[in-house]
Amino acid sequence: SRPRLEIEKALRLVAELDVGDVNAEKQMNYSIKPITWSGKRNFAFKDSIRFQDDGRAHKGEESMTFNVTPHRKLIIVKRFDSGVSNQMTEVFVNGRSVGHWLVTGANKHGRWEESKFVVPDDRINSKTCNVRFKFLSSDFDINSFYYWFYQPE
């Protein structure tokens, strides 16, 4: 799977997580608590055909661990159900806050949407990266279906 958001050509995919795929979740030491929803959705992006994906939602925390190249920025792309608006999380990398990520949700009819968050290169300081998303606010909860992680070549 590839994101629909345009990704700079000079970036390489360093990790990806299909949320709801138990094997993929194990490989990335994925954790979510407390789970408020888990299941499948069949939606479309604007101007696209419908497709089904499985995912999860929470009002607590979600985290995953993967390998990166130190001192290079990290671009995180997330597929989510935009039927839930104003999803805001605090993003942590290796235990340190790196900012707030707000996904507003503008595709109410098709409902699939993607959003991008950039972690500055000075916050990526080891070969192992633990990314954690902490619930701050939402119209309901925070949902996730797929994550892609990119770094410059």
Side-chain angles (χ1 to χ4, degrees), residues 5 13 20 22 32 35 38 45 61 63 87 92 116 129 153:
L5 280 179
L13 183 68
V22 177
I32 183 170
I35 295 174
S38 181
F45 285 98
E61 293 184 347
S63 69
Q87 299 180 46
F92 293 84
K116 177 169 57 173
C129 186
E153 291 285 352

Side-chain angles (χ1 to χ4, degrees), residues 87-112:
Q87 299 180 46
M88 184 182 294
T89 59
E90 184 169 6
V91 181
F92 293 84
V93 171
N94 294 336
R96 294 178 54 201
S97 177
V98 295
H100 293 175
W101 189 358
L102 174 64
V103 296
T104 56
N107 186 20
K108 298 284 189 217
H109 299 292
R111 296 187 58 165
W112 286 136

Side-chain angles (χ1 to χ4, degrees), residues 52-118:
Q52 182 173 287
D53 197 6
D54 45 2
R56 302 185 192 281
H58 70 92
K59 284 188 175 179
E61 293 184 347
E62 179 181 35
S63 69
M64 64 268 329
T65 303
F66 51 94
N67 293 327
V68 294
T69 301
H71 312 296
R72 293 190 182 166
K73 70 181 176 180
L74 178 69
I75 295 90
I76 305 169
V77 178
K78 170 184 176 172
R79 179 186 305 143
F80 66 101
D81 170 4
S82 66
V84 179
S85 298
N86 304 311
Q87 299 180 46
M88 184 182 294
T89 59
E90 184 169 6
V91 181
F92 293 84
V93 171
N94 294 336
R96 294 178 54 201
S97 177
V98 295
H100 293 175
W101 189 358
L102 174 64
V103 296
T104 56
N107 186 20
K108 298 284 189 217
H109 299 292
R111 296 187 58 165
W112 286 136
E113 201 166 329
E114 291 174 350
S115 181
K116 177 169 57 173
F117 183 87
V118 178

